[in-house]
């Protein structure tokens, strides 16, 4: 373990590592200038079996962008090469936060796997380009709206949508995990997309009664602050923030 840490320290002195680190600092400075949306990046290191696949992935991922009212997330390809995933690839990926290594029709050698374990670097293995793209898009969504800090409390699925005068649209839902609490913070998920992030449960009903909490297996009506565009199949995730 000590030898691995010493080797990692030596590799961090390399030119490639320092260039990536300088690029990271430049991005942070650029993102703080002006009144535009906050720009976030998810970085990738691509390793593929042939150059054509590496270039196709780099081109497709480089065109991805997701955004909300305040922020946007783009992909920065910091390397796209042919060959198995090696230790240097992991070292390069570990420079930047929110970086993943894409292994397309290739494996990672033992040194790379050990380095990934030591540095906590994510390595994804794919044989279909669209699977790699879908995976990166899901991770971009997490970069755009990270899982809220605090304790996960529960989840409900929207079954019907009702319009109640004075309250607007209410999600006729069923708690399917844990519990939902009135005044807690929630986010609304549609598939793997975050539709509304960190809003408060303003209304919570069981039958005709206003309640403070509903538990797993209980049907309920949920109203949220500033959001009414529910669709059947949406998930409402509840978090308890200290």
């Amino acid at each position: 373990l000590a030898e691995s840490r010493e080797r990692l320290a030596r590799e961090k002195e390399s030119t490639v590592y320092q260039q990536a680190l300088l690029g990271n600092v430049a991005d942070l400075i650029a993102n703080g200038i002006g009144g535009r949306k906050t720009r976030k990046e998810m970085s990738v290191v691509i390793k593929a079996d042939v150059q054509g696949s590496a270039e196709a992935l780099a081109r497709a991922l480089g065109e991805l962008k997701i955004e909300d009212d305040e922020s946007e997330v783009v992909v920065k390809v910091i390397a796209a090469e042919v060959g198995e995933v090696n230790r240097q690839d992991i070292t390069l990926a570990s420079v930047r936060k929110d970086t993943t290594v894409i292994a397309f029709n290739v494996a990672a050698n033992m040194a790379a796997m050990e380095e990934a374990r030591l540095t906590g670097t994510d390595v994804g293995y794919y044989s279909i380009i669209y699977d790699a793209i879908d995976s990166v898009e899901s991770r971009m969504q997490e970069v755009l709206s990270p899982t809220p800090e605090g304790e996960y409390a529960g989840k409900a699925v929207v079954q019907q949508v009702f319009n109640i005068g004075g309250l607007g649209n209410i999600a006729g839902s069923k708690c399917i995990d844990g519990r939902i609490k009135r005044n807690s913070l929630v986010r609304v998920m549609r598939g793997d997309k975050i539709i509304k992030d960190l809003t408060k449960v303003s209304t919570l009903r069981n039958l005709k009664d206003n309640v403070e909490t509903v538990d797993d297996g209980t049907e309920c009506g949920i109203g949220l602050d500033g959001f009414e565009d529910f669709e059947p199949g949406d998930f409402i995730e509840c978090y308890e923030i200290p």
Side-chain angles (χ1 to χ4, degrees):
L1 181 60
E3 291 179 357
S4 295
R5 287 174 175 168
E6 290 175 3
R7 172 173 35 76
L8 181 60
R10 289 195 302 271
E11 289 176 349
K12 285 184 176 181
E13 296 176 356
S14 69
T15 301
V16 173
Y17 187 98
Q18 293 299 323
Q19 287 176 342
L21 187 59
L22 287 172
N24 198 22
V25 173
D27 291 339
L28 290 174
I29 294 173
N31 291 344
I33 298 175
R36 296 172 297 177
K37 290 184 178 181
T38 300
R39 186 171 182 265
K40 303 178 182 180
E41 286 187 341
M42 176 188 164
S43 300
V44 296
V45 173
I46 299 171
K47 295 303 289 285
D49 53 343
V50 295
Q51 189 63 36
S53 294
E55 292 174 354
L57 267 172
R59 184 166 54 252
L61 296 179
E63 293 174 352
L64 295 179
K65 182 172 79 170
I66 62 173
E67 58 188 322
D68 58 18
D69 292 339
E70 299 178 353
S71 305
E72 64 180 22
V73 181
V74 297
V75 175
K76 182 168 186 175
V77 179
I78 56 179
E81 300 173 348
V82 174
E84 67 179 1
V85 178
N86 57 44
R87 191 177 61 209
Q88 287 72 30
D89 299 322
I90 303 301
T91 301
L92 181 60
S94 69
V95 180
R96 303 170 66 95
K97 183 182 178 182
D98 298 318
T99 299
T100 189
V101 178
I102 302 292
F104 187 76
N105 283 330
V106 296
N109 61 34
M110 292 300 295
M113 288 189 285
E114 175 64 12
E115 204 72 22
R117 185 185 68 80
L118 289 173
T119 59
T121 302
D122 178 68
V123 182
Y125 300 89
Y126 307 93
S127 59
I128 300 174
I129 286 181
Y130 294 112
D131 288 344
I133 294 172
D134 287 345
S135 177
V136 170
E137 285 183 322
S138 294
R139 290 178 62 86
M140 290 172 70
Q141 188 68 58
E142 183 62 28
V143 173
L144 181 67
S145 300
T147 298
E149 294 183 3
E151 183 178 354
Y152 169 80
K155 178 189 294 186
V157 60
V158 178
Q159 298 176 320
Q160 301 180 65
V161 181
F162 303 98
N163 184 272
I164 299 178
L167 294 177
N169 287 341
I170 298 295
S173 309
K174 182 175 182 179
C175 183
I176 58 174
D177 184 42
R179 61 184 180 179
I180 306 296
K181 296 181 64 176
R182 191 168 69 87
N183 291 324
S184 62
L185 291 179
V186 299
R187 66 179 183 181
V188 181
M189 303 289 296
R190 187 166 297 157
D192 60 356
K193 306 297 184 183
I194 298 173
I195 304 302
K196 180 65 177 179
D197 197 27
L198 295 185
T199 189
K200 184 179 291 187
V201 177
S202 57
T203 302
L204 187 62
R205 288 187 164 189
N206 177 234
L207 300 177
K208 294 184 178 181
D209 298 324
N210 290 315
V211 296
E212 294 296 318
T213 305
V214 294
D215 295 317
D216 186 7
T218 304
E219 294 188 342
C220 59
I222 300 174
L224 304 180
D225 282 347
F227 182 80
E228 296 186 2
D229 298 328
F230 302 104
E231 291 184 5
D234 287 349
F235 290 100
I236 300 173
E237 294 181 350
C238 179
Y239 293 86
E240 296 181 0
I241 308 296

